[in-house]
Amino acid sequence: MAEVFNVLYLGQLADIDTREGNYTAEDADELVGLTFGSEGDALANQVKEFSPGSTGSSGGVATAYDQANDPSETFRIDGGPDQTFDASAVYNATVTYVDGSTAQITAVVFQDTDGNTYLAPEFTANADQAVLEAAPIRSLTLDSLAGNRYLGLTANRESADFVTCFTTGMMISTQKGPRAIQELAVGDLVKTQDHGFQPIRWIGTTHCVAKDGLRPVHIRAGALGINLPAQELVVSQQHRILARSRITRRITGVSEAFVAAKFLLDLEGVSLGAAGEVVTYYHLLLDRHEVIYANGMPTESLMTGEQALYSIGQDSVSEITSLFPDLMMTAGIPARPILEGANRKQLIARHVKNNKALHAA
């Protein structure tokens, strides 16, 4: 249990606490019947980090963010500015996972004074918490109100991640709009920067425990440019991100180049994921190496280079070779220069020093 934990952002909704100074969320039933997340926009994309604000839960009941709001108590989301806690309520709810299966929970929902609404983890490792951690969540439906009279939100809660497969839920731009990567199939058309919509030829998955070089890289929404990525992007350390900036051109002589995610860790908003989690990495192979879009961020399809082939394993290499022998060559030619050595170090150092976005549209 910890005072820093993950929550799921549900949106800016109707105020559930219309009369301050008491412990009742009078209009909590206004949210009954609402569903958050969908097949094309999984709720798993809305994982945020909750941490104490400048006051935390220091006033009133010290172990909780007080619903009475006297004095005001603050928290932060993803390290942002103070948000003032307003109220919490509990709902009988249905969780739908990305595979379509469902489970029932009593969901703890809370708001700030601007109506920003979040699903909280449990404060003990109970059955509801197990449901939240069982698989990536597509959507949450608030079926009925279970309670609206509480002291507030318990400050120490379960800190485990909602999503156990880090890359599951990443949204890929396709001919049918953004789609969760785990819902894609061979033949689906993916948007590329250079060649329009291109069919997926092969999809692979790699399951492993996040340790050492297998820990994923988390790129916070907006960390690399305006709305880039649009939601937090989670990729392997070797996965390449497209750099496009004046600094890129000055150093390399080209306007765009690929940089492996592990080299972006000096940039604000880029960090390594926790060790010990189970990670599922997805690999999309097209006819050639392409610039594609994940959570709105220009990134790469699978390149059949030595490092990539090592990461997907010999069985996958054999499968690709037998099915698409020509792709081993065409998909091995990089769509953009790949920065290495001194150029890469200089690029990142200059972006850090000048506080410039890695990608300018």
Side-chain angles (χ1 to χ4, degrees), residues 78-335:
D78 288 343
D82 279 357
Q83 297 176 219
T84 301
F85 180 83
D86 191 23
S88 64
V90 176
Y91 298 84
N92 298 308
T94 300
V95 168
T96 301
Y97 300 114
V98 294
D99 65 0
S101 62
T102 62
Q104 306 300 312
I105 63 168
T106 51
V108 179
V109 173
F110 68 96
Q111 283 187 334
D112 70 4
T113 51
D114 291 326
N116 291 301
T117 307
Y118 306 89
L119 172 69
E122 296 294 303
F123 61 85
T124 61
N126 58 20
D128 285 339
Q129 185 66 21
V131 168
L132 294 175
E133 295 179 1
I137 295 173
R138 176 190 294 170
S139 64
L140 174 79
T141 300
L142 303 182
D143 300 316
S144 62
L145 182 64
N148 65 338
R149 183 173 175 79
Y150 300 100
L151 289 176
L153 182 74
T154 302
N156 287 285
R157 310 190 76 84
E158 289 294 304
S159 58
D161 287 331
F162 278 110
V163 186
T164 57
C165 297
F166 282 100
T167 54
T168 300
M170 184 168 63
M171 305 302 291
I172 304 298
S173 296
T174 75
Q175 189 179 43
K176 296 181 179 180
R179 294 181 61 193
I181 192 168
Q182 71 277 2
E183 297 173 358
L184 297 178
V186 170
D188 286 340
L189 298 178
V190 172
K191 181 180 179 180
T192 73
Q193 182 167 302
D194 301 323
H195 300 103
F197 294 101
Q198 292 293 314
I200 298 172
R201 297 303 187 189
W202 178 85
I203 298 176
T205 57
T206 301
H207 307 283
C208 55
V209 176
K211 61 180 181 179
D212 302 325
L214 296 177
R215 291 170 64 186
V217 175
H218 290 242
I219 304 174
R220 193 174 66 203
L224 303 183
I226 298 174
N227 207 34
L228 292 173
Q231 302 95 26
E232 183 183 50
L233 181 63
V234 185
V235 295
S236 70
Q237 294 185 30
Q238 296 293 341
H239 197 99
R240 300 180 187 96
I241 304 297
L242 191 69
R244 178 196 292 161
S245 66
R246 291 181 180 177
I247 296 174
T248 305
R249 179 176 287 279
R250 285 195 212 105
I251 291 175
T252 67
V254 296
S255 60
E256 297 180 338
F258 277 125
V259 184
K262 67 178 181 180
F263 298 121
L264 305 181
L265 292 170
D266 287 338
L267 300 177
E268 185 176 353
V270 183
S271 61
L272 279 178
E277 300 287 351
V278 176
V279 187
T280 299
Y281 291 121
Y282 291 80
H283 318 282
L284 299 183
L285 180 66
L286 310 183
D287 284 332
R288 56 177 72 84
H289 189 233
E290 298 275 11
V291 178
I292 63 174
Y293 300 87
N295 287 5
M297 186 71 214
T299 180
E300 65 170 344
S301 64
L302 177 65
M303 188 175 82
T304 54
E306 182 179 353
Q307 183 65 39
L309 295 181
Y310 174 80
S311 70
I312 66 176
Q314 186 56 50
D315 288 345
S316 294
V317 173
S318 298
E319 181 181 359
I320 295 171
T321 302
S322 62
L323 292 174
F324 311 105
D326 292 342
L327 294 191
M328 298 303 289
M329 180 176 296
T330 59
I333 301 171

Side-chain angles (χ1 to χ4, degrees), residues 16 23-29 67 88-90 145-150:
I16 66 172
Y23 291 104
T24 302
E26 295 84 8
D27 287 356
D29 58 356
Q67 193 152 299
S88 64
V90 176
L145 182 64
N148 65 338
R149 183 173 175 79
Y150 300 100

